């Protein structure tokens, strides 16, 4: 069974600075997909970024980027130039073909003004 | 984004009540999902519907009964719940359920409290 581990229950960052959220996963699959979802106080989960395991290049979406280390089974999220609106729960998720999406327990990020 | 709408936003019910959660998606997606979100636990997938047919039921107790009358609407009927069923219930949809790169679009959830 796939597992996703987020070892940081809570993180805090000063506005305009950079923060990295950690995620590791365990799988025997070779091809799979990884996601970061954001859940702000409005409670709606929003896709932030996704990575396909067969792509070596790290995914980037504006201020959000990932550091995908396939051998280490690590998929961290870097948020640059943090903004107050980035305050939210962040969930790492994994799926492989034909399998359900597996989520981590989340990291609560607070951006300080 | 208002693509997936859930009602009610909050629900308080006694253990003997019967209530229903409603979800509606306006994205033209073919798959819909119910998730349970409890504090400090990963999201738990409860049910998956693809083209109105249930394709997954993750050993959910029978006091939770889903219904998918068409590809745009999904219900979760609740009866004789337990206090441990208190949680945030999230509905989601996706273009295709069996394509792993098809991202989920979530609603705002229903915060359920069972007293």
């Amino acid at each position: 069974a796939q597992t996703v581990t987020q070892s940081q229950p809570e993180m805090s960052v000063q506005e305009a600075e950079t923060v990295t959220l950690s995620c590791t996963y365990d799988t025997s699959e070779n091809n799979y997909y990884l996601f970061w979802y954001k859940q702000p106080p409005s409670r709606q989960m929003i896709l932030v970024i996704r990575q396909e395991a067969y792509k070596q290049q790290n995914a980037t979406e504006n201020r959000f980027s990932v550091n995908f280390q396939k051998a280490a089974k690590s998929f961290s999220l870097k948020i640059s130039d943090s903004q107050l609106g980035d305050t939210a729960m962040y969930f790492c998720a994994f799926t492989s073909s034909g399998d359900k999406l597996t989520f981590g327990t989340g990291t609560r990020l607070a951006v300080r003004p | 984004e208002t693509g997936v709408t859930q009602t009610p936003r909050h629900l308080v019910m006694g253990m003997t009540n019967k209530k229903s959660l409603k979800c509606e998606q306006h994205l033209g997606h073919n798959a819909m999902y119910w998730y349970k979100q409890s504090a400090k636990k990963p999201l738990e997938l409860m049910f998956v519907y693809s083209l109105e047919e249930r394709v997954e039921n993750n050993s959910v107790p029978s006091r939770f009964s889903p219904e998918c009358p068409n590809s745009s609407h999904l219900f979760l009927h609740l009866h004789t719940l337990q206090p441990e069923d208190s949680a945030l219930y999230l509905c989601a949809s996706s273009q295709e359920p069996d394509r792993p790169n098809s991202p989920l679009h979530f609603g705002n959830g229903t915060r359920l409290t069972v007293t």
Side-chain angles (χ1 to χ4, degrees):
Chain A
Q2 277 73 244
T3 58
V4 177
T5 302
Q6 291 180 252
S7 59
Q8 305 154 315
E10 295 184 2
M11 293 280 286
S12 178
V13 63
Q14 192 72 35
E15 190 176 9
E17 293 189 346
T18 296
V19 64
T20 299
L21 308 184
S22 302
C23 174
T24 58
Y25 56 94
D26 188 24
T27 183
S28 58
E29 300 285 337
N30 190 49
N31 193 25
Y32 47 86
Y33 298 81
L34 294 157
F35 305 84
W36 277 99
Y37 280 88
K38 167 186 176 181
Q39 187 179 39
S42 68
R43 306 186 322 208
Q44 185 183 26
M45 299 266 280
I46 303 165
L47 178 66
V48 175
I49 198 166
R50 57 183 156 178
Q51 175 82 40
E52 298 171 52
Y54 67 87
K55 290 187 176 179
Q56 292 185 338
Q57 186 174 9
N58 288 327
T60 300
E61 288 287 342
N62 300 315
R63 298 182 295 106
F64 299 87
S65 62
V66 299
N67 183 4
F68 174 47
Q69 302 290 327
K70 192 173 184 179
K73 296 180 181 175
S74 171
F75 182 61
S76 59
L77 174 70
K78 185 172 82 172
I79 305 174
S80 304
D81 186 23
S82 298
Q83 300 176 1
L84 296 179
D86 296 333
T87 293
M89 283 287 289
Y90 287 83
F91 293 92
C92 179
F94 167 102
T95 187
S96 59
S97 180
D99 202 359
K100 65 180 182 182
L101 196 61
T102 301
F103 286 86
T105 52
T107 296
R108 185 176 301 280
L109 176 67
V111 179
R112 305 186 305 273
Chain B
E1 181 182 77
T2 57
V4 180
T5 304
Q6 287 186 246
T7 55
R9 189 163 174 81
H10 301 274
L11 178 62
V12 179
M13 60 186 290
M15 289 191 285
T16 58
N17 291 157
K18 289 186 180 181
K19 296 287 184 182
S20 296
L21 310 185
K22 179 182 176 182
C23 177
E24 184 174 359
Q25 60 99 358
H26 309 277
L27 301 169
H29 287 167
N30 294 321
M32 297 188 76
Y33 309 74
W34 279 116
Y35 281 88
K36 176 183 179 182
Q37 184 178 12
S38 304
K40 299 182 180 179
K41 293 175 67 175
L43 266 70
E44 301 172 50
L45 179 62
M46 301 176 71
F47 301 104
V48 181
Y49 276 83
S50 174
L51 296 172
E52 304 150 43
E53 288 190 20
R54 191 190 306 182
V55 297
E56 183 149 353
N57 175 353
N58 271 3
S59 302
V60 179
S62 60
R63 57 186 184 268
F64 295 92
S65 175
E67 178 189 1
C68 188
N70 55 63
S71 60
S72 298
H73 293 85
L74 184 66
F75 295 90
L76 188 62
H77 303 300
L78 316 171
H79 64 98
T80 59
L81 294 192
Q82 304 298 311
E84 60 265 28
D85 296 323
S86 298
L88 180 67
Y89 289 84
L90 292 168
C91 174
S93 70
S94 69
Q95 186 65 34
E96 297 175 49
D98 56 352
R99 287 189 64 182
N101 200 30
S102 182
L104 297 176
H105 294 253
F106 286 86
N108 287 34
T110 295
R111 174 69 65 189
L112 174 67
T113 303
V114 181
T115 60

